């Protein structure tokens, strides 16, 4: 089923990465979030990593209280992070895998290998009234296990699709298939990672996908055209793809 409006959540980690290069105050991810909201973002996403390499505790505190849109906190399945999430009580938490040496989140959650821990984290968050999404690879078995874990939503990892150059091919087919399966199972479907204005179209056109989380390409583009324009360009690319409806059988 095609969600009428596909939500664009902007990941502001990359603004914090630039700030941390100097360990100073600017640029502020909280200020960036406010600008994104005015420019048309439906929500703000931030990943508080265990190593605090970009987003800091004070950032998520501020985003949780000041974000005028919807705040999606990305966190690892670790007691410390679940504790912070329960205290800040954002409307949504996306559980993500974390490996210390990785440059960015490189693969989806290992739900099969860690079902008990993932299930426990999902339960603790949901019991507190927080919507829970699992960031997973587009793999049929992992979609089914996500449902069994009690998640409200999955976020399909679009990294392989982006690495393959976007467009038609097996990586897009896997996203289309898993989005449909998840929706049939009653899960809400999100997607993200590595998306830019050039490759977002085929993913935005998948009817079941109701939310995209995009960071790096928007913040990169903002250097040249400014943040509001970069947000508007992405919004325009998503809306155009949605209107053309390439996958609406
Ligand atoms: N979704 C998740 C779970 C992520 O970890 C990231 C990475 O920051 C994104 C979406 C956004 O990816 P990108 O920054 O490549 O747009």
């Amino acid at each position: 089923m095609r969600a009428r409006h596909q939500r664009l959540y902007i990941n502001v980690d990359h603004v914090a990465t630039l700030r941390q290069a100097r360990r100073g105050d600017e640029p502020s991810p909280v200020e960036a979030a406010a600008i994104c909201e005015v420019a048309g973002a439906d929500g703000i996403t931030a990943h508080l990593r265990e190593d605090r390499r970009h987003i800091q505790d004070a950032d998520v505190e501020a985003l949780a209280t000041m974000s005028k849109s919807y705040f999606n906190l990305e966190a690892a399945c670790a007691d410390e992070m679940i504790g912070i999430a329960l205290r800040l009580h954002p409307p949504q938490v996306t559980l993500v895998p974390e490996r210390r040496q990785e440059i960015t989140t490189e693969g989806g959650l290992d739900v099969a290998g860690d079902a008990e821990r993932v299930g426990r984290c999902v339960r603790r968050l949901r019991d507190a009234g927080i919507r829970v999404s699992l960031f997973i690879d587009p793999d049929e078995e992992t979609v089914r296990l996500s449902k069994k874990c009690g998640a409200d939503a999955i976020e399909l990892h679009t990294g392989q699709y982006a690495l393959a150059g976007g467009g038609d091919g097996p990586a897009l087919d896997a996203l289309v298939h898993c989005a449909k399966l998840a929706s049939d199972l009653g899960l809400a479907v999100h997607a993200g990672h590595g998306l830019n204005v050039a490759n977002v179209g085929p993913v935005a056109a998948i009817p079941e996908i109701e939310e995209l989380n995009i960071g790096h390409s928007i913040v990169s583009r903002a250097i040249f055209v400014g943040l509001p324009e970069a947000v508007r360009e992405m919004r325009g690319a998503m809306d155009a793809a949605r209107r053309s409806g390439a996958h609406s059988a």
Side-chain angles (χ1 to χ4, degrees), residues 11 13-14 47 74 94 96 104-105 135 155 192-195 213-217:
N11 185 315
D13 297 355
H14 311 280
H47 183 179
E74 287 181 6
T94 300
V96 299
T104 178
T105 315
F135 184 53
E155 179 178 338
H193 210 281
L195 296 176
N213 283 281
I214 306 179
H216 185 83
S217 70

Side-chain angles (χ1 to χ4, degrees), residues 46-115:
H47 183 179
L48 183 66
R49 291 185 71 103
E50 291 180 273
D51 63 12
R52 307 300 199 269
R53 71 171 69 157
H54 42 51
I55 290 287
Q56 305 296 304
D57 294 67
D59 297 325
V60 289
E61 299 265 353
L63 288 169
T65 52
M66 288 162 59
S67 172
K68 300 224 175 346
S69 59
Y70 199 85
F71 179 43
N72 171 37
L73 175 66
E74 287 181 6
C77 277
D79 278 345
E80 183 201 8
M81 291 302 150
I82 301 301
I84 290 172
L86 291 174
R87 186 170 57 74
L88 296 180
H89 209 277
Q92 177 171 295
V93 168
T94 300
L95 294 174
V96 299
E98 246 179 62
R99 284 178 283 274
R100 291 242 161 184
Q101 301 310 320
E102 68 189 358
I103 294 174
T104 178
T105 315
E106 281 166 3
L109 265 181
D110 179 13
V111 186
D114 217 1

Side-chain angles (χ1 to χ4, degrees), residues 15-36:
V15 178
T17 297
L18 186 54
R19 178 192 60 194
Q20 295 311 107
R22 288 284 170 94
R23 303 272 189 278
D25 297 331
E26 61 181 18
S28 155
V30 179
E31 201 178 329
I35 292 170
C36 289

